[in-house]
Amino acid sequence: MRRFPLLAVLTALLMIVPSTASAEVRSIRVMTYNIHHAQGVDGVLDLERIAQVIETSHADVIGLQEVDRHWSERSNWVDQSAWLADRLDLHVTYAANLDLDPLTPGAPRRQYGTAILSRYPIRASGNTLLPKYPGQEQRGLLEATIKVRGRELRVANTHLTHNNDAERQEQADRVAATLGSSLRSTLLIGDLNAVPTAKPITTLTSILTDTWPVVGVGPGYTIEAEKPTKRIDYLLHGSALTPRAAEVVSTLASDHLPVVATYTFN
């Protein structure tokens, strides 16, 4: 009988059977959703309905806009970001773009802004306030660093102004400048309040790729939820991510429709 040295046998097996780590395809499912402080098109406040939309989407990372935190009676003074994180068992970071004193001493501050929920740990986060014209609402860019199965992902979530073209352009310019040139592992998501051909959008798609035209089917309209006619909610990705699929989720839980996309890491 011919005998083979043990080392030679092990080497041959390693050449035939690929390593599990090297063969693993790292994928991530991402959602952007303007939740309108959980008020649906029926006028009903229902945070559980928002949670179910997120849950059934199977998204790993979710960027939310129009999120109340002890804001007012309109959302029952609830910290919506914390409630959703607890309900869905996700990590969360929140950015208060509006930050007001409480109505009664000792109560929590009244805040309104954006949030990022994540199935993976959020290693760091920070919020950059964007240009604001007199009398306008303060907007911001929330950034989070998320570790996804050994890969670092930067997720930026924003909500640009809806009623001033010049201000929106300045905000888009600031977003581009803040994100900088290291964009390979970056996702920019949010309600950008402009159609794809508008200059604020082309400013951002000059540095990141608009996911929907690559893998989405149809126009991708997201507003108004009951009968959408415009695409103003976006996921933009860097070169380290390859989009595999994208869809607009049909729901009346908010006045916007959420957009979900799946990516693999290059």
Side-chain angles (χ1 to χ4, degrees):
M1 179 185 295
R2 186 178 179 184
R3 299 181 180 276
F4 295 93
L6 179 59
L7 181 58
V9 173
L10 291 175
T11 301
L13 287 173
L14 287 172
M15 291 176 67
I16 295 169
V17 181
S19 162
T20 302
S22 62
E24 179 186 11
V25 176
R26 295 180 179 89
S27 66
I28 187 166
R29 191 160 168 83
V30 183
M31 169 186 277
T32 182
Y33 195 11
N34 181 326
I35 67 169
H36 191 50
H37 62 268
Q39 181 179 310
V41 298
D42 55 5
V44 175
L45 177 74
D46 191 344
L47 201 52
E48 172 60 26
R49 183 164 52 178
I50 297 292
Q52 290 177 13
V53 171
I54 297 171
E55 190 171 47
T56 57
S57 77
H58 303 292
D60 301 303
V61 175
I62 306 98
L64 303 177
Q65 305 87 43
E66 295 195 18
V67 185
D68 283 358
R69 195 179 195 186
H70 312 297
W71 179 252
S72 70
E73 292 179 353
R74 75 178 184 185
S75 48
N76 292 330
W77 306 98
V78 170
D79 180 343
Q80 295 186 322
S81 60
W83 190 96
L84 287 168
D86 183 66
R87 162 66 176 78
L88 297 165
D89 193 23
L90 298 173
H91 303 277
V92 65
T93 183
Y94 182 82
N97 295 319
L98 301 183
D99 187 9
L100 306 180
D101 291 333
L103 297 181
T104 57
R109 295 191 65 78
R110 301 170 55 214
Q111 298 178 328
Y112 171 78
T114 58
I116 294 173
L117 303 171
S118 174
R119 198 172 308 282
Y120 304 101
I122 298 173
R123 302 300 189 189
S125 65
N127 191 47
T128 300
L129 297 180
L130 301 178
K132 172 185 174 298
Y133 285 13
Q136 292 286 89
E137 180 184 311
Q138 181 66 64
R139 309 285 177 149
L141 176 70
L142 172 60
E143 296 178 72
T145 302
I146 300 172
K147 202 65 170 293
V148 182
R149 293 193 293 274
R151 295 291 294 268
E152 193 170 277
L153 178 68
R154 175 170 62 164
V155 178
N157 178 25
T158 194
H159 182 194
L160 303 186
T161 191
H162 69 289
N163 61 356
N164 189 300
D165 293 345
E167 182 184 37
R168 188 183 309 113
Q169 181 60 50
E170 288 193 31
Q171 291 172 349
D173 290 339
R174 180 67 59 81
V175 168
T178 301
L179 293 179
S181 58
S182 300
L183 297 166
R184 289 195 70 254
S185 298
T186 296
L187 275 168
L188 171 62
I189 62 181
D191 175 2
L192 304 185
N193 267 314
V195 297
T197 55
K199 189 179 176 185
I201 306 304
T202 59
T203 295
L204 297 171
T205 55
S206 70
I207 62 170
L208 291 164
T209 301
D210 186 358
T211 298
W212 186 263
V214 181
V215 292
V217 177
Y221 294 158
T222 58
I223 187 115
E224 298 280 338
E226 202 162 16
K227 191 176 181 180
T229 58
K230 292 191 296 185
R231 182 163 78 93
I232 65 172
D233 299 271
Y234 294 82
L235 298 100
L236 310 179
H237 63 275
S239 60
L241 297 158
T242 298
R244 300 300 180 183
E247 63 177 307
V248 175
V249 178
S250 180
T251 173
L252 300 181
S254 168
D255 60 342
H256 286 244
L257 298 178
V259 186
V260 185
T262 302
Y263 303 87
T264 53
F265 287 92
N266 298 331

